[in-house]
Amino acid sequence: MLAEIITIGDEILIGQIVDTNSAWMAKQLNLIGVSVKQITSVSDDEQHIMEALKLAENRADIVLITGGLGPTKDDITKKTLAKYFNMGFRNDAGALEMVRQIFEKYKRPLLDINIQQADVPDGCEVIVNKNGTAPCMWFEQNNTIFISMPGVPYEMMYLMDDEILPRIKSRFKLPFIVHKTILTANIGESFLAKEIEEIENSLPAHIKLAYLPKLGLVRLRLSASGDHEAKLKTEVEVYAKQIMAKVNKFVVIDEDIALEKAILNLMESRGLTLSTAESCTGGYIAHLITQHPGCSSVYWGGAVAYAYELKESILGVKENTLTTFGAVSEQTVTEMAEGAIKHFKTDYSIAVSGIAGPDGGTADKPVGTVWIAVSSKNKTIAKVFNFSNKRIQNIERSAASALTMLLNLLKETV
Amino acid sequence: MLAEIITIGDEILIGQIVDTNSAWMAKQLNLIGVSVKQITSVSDDEQHIMEALKLAENRADIVLITGGLGPTKDDITKKTLAKYFNMGFRNDAGALEMVRQIFEKYKRPLLDINIQQADVPDGCEVIVNKNGTAPCMWFEQNNTIFISMPGVPYEMMYLMDDEILPRIKSRFKLPFIVHKTILTANIGESFLAKEIEEIENSLPAHIKLAYLPKLGLVRLRLSASGDHEAKLKTEVEVYAKQIMAKVNKFVVIDEDIALEKAILNLMESRGLTLSTAESCTGGYIAHLITQHPGCSSVYWGGAVAYAYELKESILGVKENTLTTFGAVSEQTVTEMAEGAIKHFKTDYSIAVSGIAGPDGGTADKPVGTVWIAVSSKNKTIAKVFNFSNKRIQNIERSAASALTMLLNLLKETV
């Protein structure tokens, strides 16, 4: 069963927004055994949309379309779909009722262009969108299903979760796709490949291995497809165990979760607490951690200490340390980490102080110089990194390095 | 001049990573007057890659390809390009030298598979990648240019900035594309559209207006294309001024920048300082602010106070307030905001406390209940919001609402 995703709208093609919808949709489809063959972003241009629909119809069983359903003139998806399927228009009663309810809830008057949002190509089935004014539309032609959804992420997600995915599951007998991910740290991609070369060469044709490097970590992903889920799972587990035995000391966790989530799970199982003291990462590490539900049993909070004054008042860094060694130094980052443990009363802490850039560098501390410390109640490890001159990248790499250092410290004290 | 972007790799199609490269590349291309016609993600499958290349060759003048250049077996881009262009292989001396240098820098032994990274299709021009071991390759066929780059974001960005974009600019006489963005708050998309309907209808064919709604804000984007840059800029400014005059009270700023950056600019121009006190947003607001270079002149830092204890110890929230009204209450969020001003010694502060979910809700405070306060030295405004049951979305919407509240408070006190 093959699906394709088509996103419609100039905003992706001029780079104003990043297409996060497609990755989310692809993940959900894979989980129910539908492979995504292609993701295509096209502009709000009738002829181009028609061509993309035709090509997708030839390749795929299911075509998911997002975007271009707003009430304004730049959105032409509905008109183009009517033309593609050679249909006229009707005003859909269910869709109109939903538009009415939404405007009533927000106590806004219903405008003509809002009523027109309930106009749909007359041969489609309408799936009511409970979170927005643009209806979802289901078409079928030549054994291909086309589903048009709004591009607003949470409206699309609700429709997928509650309507589209259940309908696809009940309609088709789907093959199973089993993924197994092993997260590794402290080893490069090519060294990893060399270590597990023999295992990789022994994989059967229906099991694939992929290397996904990111910010100093490498994810290994085994993917198997076939008709017998239990058999696939067993097979994949066998190969995963072989890989983990071979590169054991580099394995963080054998789940497809983020590094910080692996750390949270480990700390929760040991009843440990964590705080953060961030300067150049500016709350990014706290944000990574607090994305995860249930983090509050481990993570107590922390400081974003951008100014000298806050490093002193919240974390207890000595003024003398800051003036003698500077904010970006082993001494300061050590006092930040130990101050976090003391003031926030947690078992472990992370502290980061660096020059994220693009300005603020000096000859001996160029942009990209970052000091990171991790502390337990009886040990602090501090390390300096030299990243690049790109601010966002320095923030992300500092966070990944800090989390890897914390993981290594936690592993030391098993 | 039309470009297309093709990303190669299963990780996007199974939803393991979000394709941030394409948006970045599209933005850079637009800035030099190259329009992006289509963005296509295909899997590591030879036949599918060949088809995508053929279709792109027929539509575009420039095809930018990322991904699939790693040293491991799952990466087949180079082999596929050699087949597509009917070429053999050569080991490129410049590319090999770069691989050697990188392995020397990190003091790692050079493996055979790393030496093979310098193997390239023999008819391509190699552009040396100074930040990684995969070379960039430039091909030409039937008046279309194909450029293959690694998918690692910063390697691709460096190559684009320093090599690819300058070469494209010097090779072609490019039309100018002028964008002008107006960021609005506190008004819905359809109301905005109704307000400026007459102006929109009066736009000439070469100027387009797009509505980009996100998290309660709407961006209006005017795009003009043509041969005379100065003339286009003047034209776009005339229409932008008409729009801003019509919806003046909703305009945040007439630049394509983030809301928090607009706030930073405004506060910097007034010599004001800011701190944050975050519970459920967990550092996300601090992270949004500290993404921007130069933020330290305005932003001093703040607290991520997840645990009750930290709300008391860092922010001075009274224990009695927490036990009587709860952490998610007008009283607590007010004390958090006022505590931030007092303890962090800033002119303004933002405080957020809510139930991000998916767990932790109660009958009277369901998941999605979020109290937000913004404070100046003599005024605090607190407001409750009822968002959804999705954690990440609640964090993002809380941050956007908090920033909008701060902007409104700053506007009050002009």
Side-chain angles (χ1 to χ4, degrees), chain A residues 315-340:
Chain A
L315 296 164
V317 176
K318 293 189 215 82
E319 193 187 345
N320 185 39
T321 307
L322 287 165
T323 50
T324 310
F325 302 103
V328 180
S329 65
E330 179 169 9
Q331 291 81 0
T332 294
V333 83
T334 300
E335 287 186 26
M336 285 170 68
E338 292 175 356

mmCIF file of all heavy atoms in Angstrom, chain A residues 315-340:
data_model
loop_
_atom_site.group_PDB
_atom_site.id
_atom_site.type_symbol
_atom_site.label_atom_id
_atom_site.label_comp_id
_atom_site.label_asym_id
_atom_site.label_seq_id
_atom_site.Cartn_x
_atom_site.Cartn_y
_atom_site.Cartn_z
ATOM 1 N N LEU A 315 22.312 31.596 40.699
ATOM 2 C CA LEU A 315 23.151 30.397 40.765
ATOM 3 C C LEU A 315 24.290 30.501 41.778
ATOM 4 O O LEU A 315 24.940 29.498 42.073
ATOM 5 C CB LEU A 315 23.736 30.105 39.369
ATOM 6 C CG LEU A 315 22.696 29.754 38.301
ATOM 7 C CD1 LEU A 315 23.305 29.872 36.915
ATOM 8 C CD2 LEU A 315 22.151 28.351 38.542
ATOM 9 N N GLY A 316 24.508 31.704 42.270
ATOM 10 C CA GLY A 316 25.565 31.860 43.268
ATOM 11 C C GLY A 316 26.976 31.830 42.705
ATOM 12 O O GLY A 316 27.932 31.546 43.423
ATOM 13 N N VAL A 317 27.120 32.119 41.406
ATOM 14 C CA VAL A 317 28.468 32.238 40.847
ATOM 15 C C VAL A 317 29.116 33.472 41.487
ATOM 16 O O VAL A 317 28.479 34.521 41.620
ATOM 17 C CB VAL A 317 28.414 32.396 39.303
ATOM 18 C CG1 VAL A 317 29.816 32.624 38.737
ATOM 19 C CG2 VAL A 317 27.770 31.177 38.673
ATOM 20 N N LYS A 318 30.388 33.331 41.887
ATOM 21 C CA LYS A 318 31.063 34.454 42.554
ATOM 22 C C LYS A 318 31.404 35.554 41.551
ATOM 23 O O LYS A 318 31.859 35.270 40.443
ATOM 24 C CB LYS A 318 32.337 33.957 43.233
ATOM 25 C CG LYS A 318 32.080 33.006 44.393
ATOM 26 C CD LYS A 318 33.389 32.736 45.148
ATOM 27 C CE LYS A 318 33.447 31.310 45.678
ATOM 28 N NZ LYS A 318 33.883 30.312 44.681
ATOM 29 N N GLU A 319 31.220 36.795 41.977
ATOM 30 C CA GLU A 319 31.544 37.929 41.109
ATOM 31 C C GLU A 319 33.009 37.859 40.689
ATOM 32 O O GLU A 319 33.350 38.109 39.534
ATOM 33 C CB GLU A 319 31.264 39.243 41.856
ATOM 34 C CG GLU A 319 31.284 40.445 40.917
ATOM 35 C CD GLU A 319 31.184 41.773 41.652
ATOM 36 O OE1 GLU A 319 30.809 41.765 42.851
ATOM 37 O OE2 GLU A 319 31.490 42.805 41.028
ATOM 38 N N ASN A 320 33.854 37.471 41.656
ATOM 39 C CA ASN A 320 35.288 37.368 41.418
ATOM 40 C C ASN A 320 35.604 36.354 40.310
ATOM 41 O O ASN A 320 36.495 36.572 39.479
ATOM 42 C CB ASN A 320 35.975 36.963 42.740
ATOM 43 C CG ASN A 320 37.485 36.966 42.595
ATOM 44 O OD1 ASN A 320 38.027 37.852 41.938
ATOM 45 N ND2 ASN A 320 38.129 35.968 43.183
ATOM 46 N N THR A 321 34.871 35.247 40.284
ATOM 47 C CA THR A 321 35.066 34.231 39.241
ATOM 48 C C THR A 321 34.750 34.819 37.868
ATOM 49 O O THR A 321 35.490 34.626 36.902
ATOM 50 C CB THR A 321 34.157 33.011 39.507
ATOM 51 O OG1 THR A 321 34.370 32.566 40.838
ATOM 52 C CG2 THR A 321 34.436 31.893 38.532
ATOM 53 N N LEU A 322 33.640 35.528 37.800
ATOM 54 C CA LEU A 322 33.219 36.108 36.519
ATOM 55 C C LEU A 322 34.219 37.159 36.036
ATOM 56 O O LEU A 322 34.558 37.182 34.848
ATOM 57 C CB LEU A 322 31.822 36.737 36.654
ATOM 58 C CG LEU A 322 30.667 35.734 36.769
ATOM 59 C CD1 LEU A 322 29.397 36.419 37.262
ATOM 60 C CD2 LEU A 322 30.398 35.069 35.412
ATOM 61 N N THR A 323 34.695 38.000 36.944
ATOM 62 C CA THR A 323 35.608 39.059 36.499
ATOM 63 C C THR A 323 37.006 38.517 36.213
ATOM 64 O O THR A 323 37.678 38.986 35.298
ATOM 65 C CB THR A 323 35.683 40.209 37.534
ATOM 66 O OG1 THR A 323 35.928 39.634 38.825
ATOM 67 C CG2 THR A 323 34.382 40.993 37.587
ATOM 68 N N THR A 324 37.428 37.493 36.958
ATOM 69 C CA THR A 324 38.773 36.951 36.749
ATOM 70 C C THR A 324 38.848 36.049 35.520
ATOM 71 O O THR A 324 39.742 36.170 34.689
ATOM 72 C CB THR A 324 39.239 36.136 37.980
ATOM 73 O OG1 THR A 324 39.031 36.927 39.142
ATOM 74 C CG2 THR A 324 40.712 35.746 37.865
ATOM 75 N N PHE A 325 37.893 35.118 35.414
ATOM 76 C CA PHE A 325 37.986 34.111 34.346
ATOM 77 C C PHE A 325 37.017 34.354 33.185
ATOM 78 O O PHE A 325 37.130 33.745 32.133
ATOM 79 C CB PHE A 325 37.738 32.709 34.926
ATOM 80 C CG PHE A 325 38.691 32.346 36.033
ATOM 81 C CD1 PHE A 325 38.292 32.387 37.365
ATOM 82 C CD2 PHE A 325 40.002 31.991 35.745
ATOM 83 C CE1 PHE A 325 39.170 32.061 38.385
ATOM 84 C CE2 PHE A 325 40.894 31.665 36.759
ATOM 85 C CZ PHE A 325 40.486 31.703 38.085
ATOM 86 N N GLY A 326 36.025 35.223 33.393
ATOM 87 C CA GLY A 326 35.020 35.465 32.360
ATOM 88 C C GLY A 326 33.857 34.485 32.488
ATOM 89 O O GLY A 326 33.963 33.440 33.148
ATOM 90 N N ALA A 327 32.736 34.839 31.830
ATOM 91 C CA ALA A 327 31.536 33.996 31.908
ATOM 92 C C ALA A 327 31.750 32.671 31.183
ATOM 93 O O ALA A 327 31.186 31.645 31.563
ATOM 94 C CB ALA A 327 30.341 34.738 31.324
ATOM 95 N N VAL A 328 32.576 32.715 30.128
ATOM 96 C CA VAL A 328 32.822 31.490 29.354
ATOM 97 C C VAL A 328 34.148 30.890 29.823
ATOM 98 O O VAL A 328 35.208 31.160 29.270
ATOM 99 C CB VAL A 328 32.846 31.791 27.840
ATOM 100 C CG1 VAL A 328 33.098 30.509 27.045
ATOM 101 C CG2 VAL A 328 31.528 32.428 27.414
ATOM 102 N N SER A 329 34.092 30.129 30.899
ATOM 103 C CA SER A 329 35.306 29.546 31.476
ATOM 104 C C SER A 329 34.940 28.298 32.271
ATOM 105 O O SER A 329 33.779 28.101 32.644
ATOM 106 C CB SER A 329 35.973 30.561 32.416
ATOM 107 O OG SER A 329 35.126 30.815 33.530
ATOM 108 N N GLU A 330 35.953 27.486 32.497
ATOM 109 C CA GLU A 330 35.760 26.274 33.284
ATOM 110 C C GLU A 330 35.263 26.627 34.686
ATOM 111 O O GLU A 330 34.358 25.972 35.219
ATOM 112 C CB GLU A 330 37.086 25.508 33.373
ATOM 113 C CG GLU A 330 36.981 24.235 34.188
ATOM 114 C CD GLU A 330 38.214 23.348 34.054
ATOM 115 O OE1 GLU A 330 39.205 23.796 33.464
ATOM 116 O OE2 GLU A 330 38.147 22.201 34.537
ATOM 117 N N GLN A 331 35.859 27.679 35.264
ATOM 118 C CA GLN A 331 35.497 28.046 36.637
ATOM 119 C C GLN A 331 34.026 28.459 36.727
ATOM 120 O O GLN A 331 33.299 28.018 37.611
ATOM 121 C CB GLN A 331 36.398 29.207 37.114
ATOM 122 C CG GLN A 331 37.860 28.818 37.333
ATOM 123 C CD GLN A 331 38.677 28.778 36.033
ATOM 124 O OE1 GLN A 331 38.149 29.034 34.948
ATOM 125 N NE2 GLN A 331 39.943 28.433 36.139
ATOM 126 N N THR A 332 33.600 29.329 35.804
ATOM 127 C CA THR A 332 32.216 29.808 35.862
ATOM 128 C C THR A 332 31.219 28.675 35.630
ATOM 129 O O THR A 332 30.238 28.529 36.360
ATOM 130 C CB THR A 332 32.001 30.930 34.822
ATOM 131 O OG1 THR A 332 32.793 32.052 35.195
ATOM 132 C CG2 THR A 332 30.535 31.347 34.756
ATOM 133 N N VAL A 333 31.472 27.855 34.606
ATOM 134 C CA VAL A 333 30.496 26.808 34.287
ATOM 135 C C VAL A 333 30.443 25.775 35.419
ATOM 136 O O VAL A 333 29.380 25.208 35.715
ATOM 137 C CB VAL A 333 30.790 26.200 32.890
ATOM 138 C CG1 VAL A 333 31.861 25.131 32.958
ATOM 139 C CG2 VAL A 333 29.518 25.665 32.260
ATOM 140 N N THR A 334 31.573 25.556 36.079
ATOM 141 C CA THR A 334 31.593 24.646 37.226
ATOM 142 C C THR A 334 30.759 25.216 38.374
ATOM 143 O O THR A 334 29.931 24.511 38.972
ATOM 144 C CB THR A 334 33.053 24.408 37.694
ATOM 145 O OG1 THR A 334 33.780 23.829 36.613
ATOM 146 C CG2 THR A 334 33.104 23.477 38.902
ATOM 147 N N GLU A 335 30.946 26.502 38.649
ATOM 148 C CA GLU A 335 30.142 27.128 39.718
ATOM 149 C C GLU A 335 28.654 27.165 39.349
ATOM 150 O O GLU A 335 27.787 27.047 40.224
ATOM 151 C CB GLU A 335 30.651 28.544 40.012
ATOM 152 C CG GLU A 335 31.976 28.538 40.755
ATOM 153 C CD GLU A 335 32.433 29.922 41.194
ATOM 154 O OE1 GLU A 335 31.578 30.818 41.388
ATOM 155 O OE2 GLU A 335 33.654 30.115 41.338
ATOM 156 N N MET A 336 28.361 27.319 38.085
ATOM 157 C CA MET A 336 26.951 27.299 37.649
ATOM 158 C C MET A 336 26.327 25.926 37.926
ATOM 159 O O MET A 336 25.221 25.821 38.464
ATOM 160 C CB MET A 336 26.844 27.619 36.150
ATOM 161 C CG MET A 336 27.057 29.097 35.792
ATOM 162 S SD MET A 336 27.204 29.376 33.982
ATOM 163 C CE MET A 336 25.535 29.004 33.423
ATOM 164 N N ALA A 337 27.058 24.874 37.543
ATOM 165 C CA ALA A 337 26.525 23.517 37.715
ATOM 166 C C ALA A 337 26.384 23.176 39.199
ATOM 167 O O ALA A 337 25.357 22.629 39.634
ATOM 168 C CB ALA A 337 27.432 22.498 37.025
ATOM 169 N N GLU A 338 27.413 23.523 39.969
ATOM 170 C CA GLU A 338 27.361 23.197 41.401
ATOM 171 C C GLU A 338 26.358 24.096 42.120
ATOM 172 O O GLU A 338 25.677 23.655 43.057
ATOM 173 C CB GLU A 338 28.776 23.286 41.991
ATOM 174 C CG GLU A 338 29.654 22.163 41.416
ATOM 175 C CD GLU A 338 31.127 22.228 41.834
ATOM 176 O OE1 GLU A 338 31.508 23.188 42.526
ATOM 177 O OE2 GLU A 338 31.884 21.307 41.440
ATOM 178 N N GLY A 339 26.217 25.337 41.637
ATOM 179 C CA GLY A 339 25.204 26.245 42.191
ATOM 180 C C GLY A 339 23.797 25.733 41.939
ATOM 181 O O GLY A 339 22.903 25.845 42.787
ATOM 182 N N ALA A 340 23.577 25.147 40.763
ATOM 183 C CA ALA A 340 22.254 24.604 40.437
ATOM 184 C C ALA A 340 21.902 23.477 41.407
ATOM 185 O O ALA A 340 20.792 23.411 41.949
ATOM 186 C CB ALA A 340 22.214 24.114 38.994
#
